Amino acid sequence: MNEFINSIKHFFDIDFTPVKSYLFSLMLTIISAYLLIVVFRKLMQQLFKRTSLLEEKKKETIESVTKNTSRYILAIIIIIAAIKPFVGDLKEVIVAGGIIAAVIGFGAQKLINDLISGVFIIFEGTIKRGDFINVNGELEGGTVEELGFRIVKIRLINGKLLTISNGEIRKMVNGSVEKRRIFESLIVSFNQDPGIVRVLLQEVCDDLNKKQLSYLKVDKQTDEYVEMYKVYGLHSLDTSPFGYKFTIVATVNDTDYLVASLEAKEILAQKLFDNNVKMAEQLINKGY
């Protein structure tokens, strides 16, 4: 019993000063590196705002590359600062780590592929939690519920939970990048006056612009609406063999898309019904 008590006392007699010094040095390195990267980003933004030598798209591309690259740099600095006190030569650690990774890679290629894909997805911000996405060309999409280095969990519209490995994502359509475009189309009969339809659609757009004003996307720089409801127009006459195809469009906040889209469909359908607009009908051959 006395030996046990003595061992406990001996533990508390350990000098934790090196540990405190290590943690303080690590935190100072992380904070300093983060502040330097933030300052560099701000300087780049101010530089692009005051210059007209580059096209707007090129500016945005450079800013995006700088932002993504700085994340990797910060991660590398943190790793080096964390392991440096425990190793004599960093070159030896890097070489040894490369050999170990190569050996493991032969036995777990799929896992490594998933992890690498996950790192790129997370660091580059391809998708975020809450985004509405379609994966690998599937028509049915869903909301990202959980995003990890190995898997992504997506809650489909029908309520089912889809779990997919990051390495299996070959093609992805993200419908939640701050804004979404409502694109509602209808086909009316060739016997219907297209001029009347256009007038009715404009009335629907005017009504929606009043009811859904809070849903419409506002440009952060100009404080103007990106795209209010408007009649997109009559498509080419050979678009549908059953009638004229019209479309109304608007750009809304991605979080309001579902509600706005459903309400637009209801108002559009009711307007056409109230005005006895002849819709296109597909003739079915019953065999007699």
Side-chain angles (χ1 to χ4, degrees), residues 73-285:
I73 293 174
L74 180 60
I76 292 172
I77 292 174
I78 294 173
I79 293 173
I80 293 175
I83 66 174
K84 187 176 181 180
F86 304 101
V87 297
D89 190 354
L90 286 176
K91 293 181 180 179
E92 297 178 1
V93 176
I94 294 173
V95 173
I99 296 174
I100 294 172
V103 173
I104 296 176
F106 285 109
Q109 292 183 8
K110 187 178 184 305
L111 177 61
I112 299 299
N113 183 36
D114 293 340
L115 292 174
I116 293 175
S117 300
V119 169
F120 280 111
I121 289 174
I122 293 173
F123 273 88
E124 293 181 357
T126 309
I127 55 174
K128 299 180 181 67
R129 189 174 182 274
D131 284 356
F132 187 91
I133 65 174
N134 293 76
V135 178
N136 297 338
E138 294 291 335
L139 295 177
E140 187 175 14
T143 304
V144 178
E145 280 199 353
E146 186 177 329
L147 178 61
F149 283 101
R150 194 179 68 84
I151 61 172
V152 176
K153 294 183 179 179
I154 305 169
R155 182 70 62 180
L156 301 177
I157 296 178
N158 60 15
K160 296 180 180 179
L161 184 64
L162 171 65
T163 301
I164 182 170
S165 301
N166 292 324
E168 295 179 0
I169 299 177
R170 300 181 303 277
K171 179 181 178 182
M172 179 170 54
V173 178
N174 192 338
S176 300
V177 188
E178 294 187 358
K179 62 182 180 181
R180 292 192 69 178
R181 197 183 194 203
I182 291 179
F183 202 86
E184 296 297 339
S185 300
L186 68 148
I187 301 176
V188 299
S189 172
F190 283 123
N191 296 320
Q192 175 66 51
D193 185 351
I196 295 176
V197 176
R198 187 177 184 88
V199 171
L200 293 175
L201 292 181
Q202 186 59 55
E203 292 178 0
V204 170
C205 290
D206 294 339
D207 190 17
L208 287 170
N209 283 330
K210 294 178 182 178
K211 291 185 176 181
Q212 298 189 1
L213 198 63
S214 60
Y215 297 160
L216 297 173
K217 178 67 178 177
V218 177
D219 191 299
K220 295 180 180 179
Q221 296 182 347
T222 63
D223 289 331
E224 296 180 356
Y225 294 105
V226 175
E227 183 183 38
M228 301 185 74
Y229 278 95
K230 64 180 181 181
V231 181
Y232 186 76
L234 174 63
H235 296 253
S236 57
L237 297 179
D238 60 348
T239 300
S240 171
F242 308 113
Y244 302 114
K245 185 177 182 179
F246 288 87
T247 302
I248 62 173
V249 295
T251 300
V252 299
N253 302 312
D254 62 284
T255 53
D256 300 319
Y257 172 78
L258 186 58
V259 176
S261 178
L262 292 175
E263 187 176 28
K265 287 183 174 70
E266 292 178 1
I267 293 176
L268 184 59
Q270 191 64 49
K271 173 66 76 171
L272 297 175
F273 178 80
D274 292 342
N275 290 273
N276 298 316
V277 174
K278 299 176 182 177
M279 303 299 292
E281 296 182 357
Q282 183 177 359
L283 298 179
I284 300 176
N285 186 1

Side-chain angles (χ1 to χ4, degrees), residues 23 27 36-37 52 61 100 102 130 148 156 164 186 203 212 288:
L23 293 176
M27 290 300 298
L36 286 174
I37 290 173
S52 57
T61 302
I100 294 172
L156 301 177
I164 182 170
L186 68 148
E203 292 178 0
Q212 298 189 1
Y288 56 84

